[in-house]
Amino acid sequence: RQSAQDALLLEAADVALLWAPMVEEMYPQGFATGISVGGLSETLCGPVRPGHFAGVATVVAKLFNQVAPDFAVFGEKDWQQLAVIRRMARDLDLTAPSADRVIGAPTIREEDGLAMSSRNRYLAPDQRRAAASLPHEMKAAIERIVEGRDVAATLEALEVALIDAGFASVDYAVLADEDSLQSLHELPGHGARLFVAARIGGTRLIDNMAVSAQR
């Protein structure tokens, strides 16, 4: 939505080439083909964003076919999107890049811990201050889970803490397997993440963090 600004940022980072086909090139008249990644698209953000991940999978598959990249990088902040793309690349044998060359870039955070996002600009000053409670309360919940506290009770307490901090609602607070995104009721030996989506004002924020018994 801000392609000109994005182009300037890429130029400042010494990017040599920006591939940015127009909408009519990506979706020509009569376009009727889509890719749906079952399971992964139906949990977490899926129910409140119907069709979103099908659109993501379709456009990314098209971009992979157009560019045939050696590797592709997607931010871990939207872990569900990353999981969907990896599954799509694996299932459809998109070997350029292959699934193991779909790389997750670690989430970059502000000084107060809030994950960097274009959505943050929509927050009023008081909402922005309250939003910092999201990573803070998530870390506290992770510590309790690692300590062996009941997962369901911990997640419920996390939701209450976010509402008390100023969030209007919590879409979900889920401990899930990082690959299948299926909910977990106890901490496994490895591969778990805490996923949260919450609304403050008119802005919906998402975040996720790794949860490990070895923390």
Side-chain angles (χ1 to χ4, degrees), residues 119-183:
R119 298 179 184 182
N120 296 348
R121 73 184 63 186
Y122 301 119
L123 299 172
D126 60 329
Q127 295 171 342
R128 174 61 186 81
R129 288 190 293 271
S133 64
L134 177 57
H136 175 76
E137 296 297 344
M138 288 179 66
K139 289 179 180 178
I142 288 172
E143 291 299 329
R144 289 193 288 271
I145 291 172
V146 171
E147 289 171 359
R149 307 284 186 88
D150 181 76
V151 170
T154 298
L155 296 177
E156 182 178 349
L158 170 57
E159 294 190 26
V160 171
L162 292 175
I163 297 299
D164 289 345
F167 280 82
S169 62
V170 178
D171 286 355
Y172 59 77
V174 179
L175 179 70
D177 180 271
E178 65 179 16
D179 295 322
S180 70
L181 305 185
Q182 293 302 301
S183 298

Side-chain angles (χ1 to χ4, degrees), residues 30-197:
F31 185 85
T33 303
I35 297 173
S36 178
V37 180
L40 294 175
S41 299
E42 297 158 7
T43 185
L44 300 175
C45 288
V48 298
R49 306 189 72 184
H52 170 71
F53 291 109
V56 167
T58 301
V59 72
V60 171
K62 287 172 64 68
L63 290 169
F64 282 0
N65 286 331
Q66 292 165 0
V67 178
D70 296 308
F71 60 89
V73 182
F74 295 86
E76 291 183 353
K77 177 177 173 292
D78 194 338
W79 188 275
Q80 185 173 13
Q81 174 177 270
L82 175 62
V84 166
I85 292 169
R86 281 175 168 161
R87 182 80 258 174
M88 178 268 297
R90 184 177 297 112
D91 289 353
L92 298 183
D93 298 323
L94 296 179
T95 56
S98 61
D100 63 351
R101 299 300 289 162
V102 177
I103 300 168
T107 300
I108 300 175
R109 298 182 179 276
E110 304 285 357
E111 290 186 4
D112 59 6
L114 185 66
M116 287 188 177
S117 170
S118 58
R119 298 179 184 182
N120 296 348
R121 73 184 63 186
Y122 301 119
L123 299 172
D126 60 329
Q127 295 171 342
R128 174 61 186 81
R129 288 190 293 271
S133 64
L134 177 57
H136 175 76
E137 296 297 344
M138 288 179 66
K139 289 179 180 178
I142 288 172
E143 291 299 329
R144 289 193 288 271
I145 291 172
V146 171
E147 289 171 359
R149 307 284 186 88
D150 181 76
V151 170
T154 298
L155 296 177
E156 182 178 349
L158 170 57
E159 294 190 26
V160 171
L162 292 175
I163 297 299
D164 289 345
F167 280 82
S169 62
V170 178
D171 286 355
Y172 59 77
V174 179
L175 179 70
D177 180 271
E178 65 179 16
D179 295 322
S180 70
L181 305 185
Q182 293 302 301
S183 298
L184 299 170
H185 302 294
E186 59 184 20
L187 184 60
H190 63 280
R193 299 189 80 84
L194 175 61
F195 295 88
V196 177

Side-chain angles (χ1 to χ4, degrees), residues 5-16:
Q5 181 178 345
D6 289 344
L8 291 174
L9 292 171
L10 292 169
E11 184 176 5
D14 294 327
V15 171

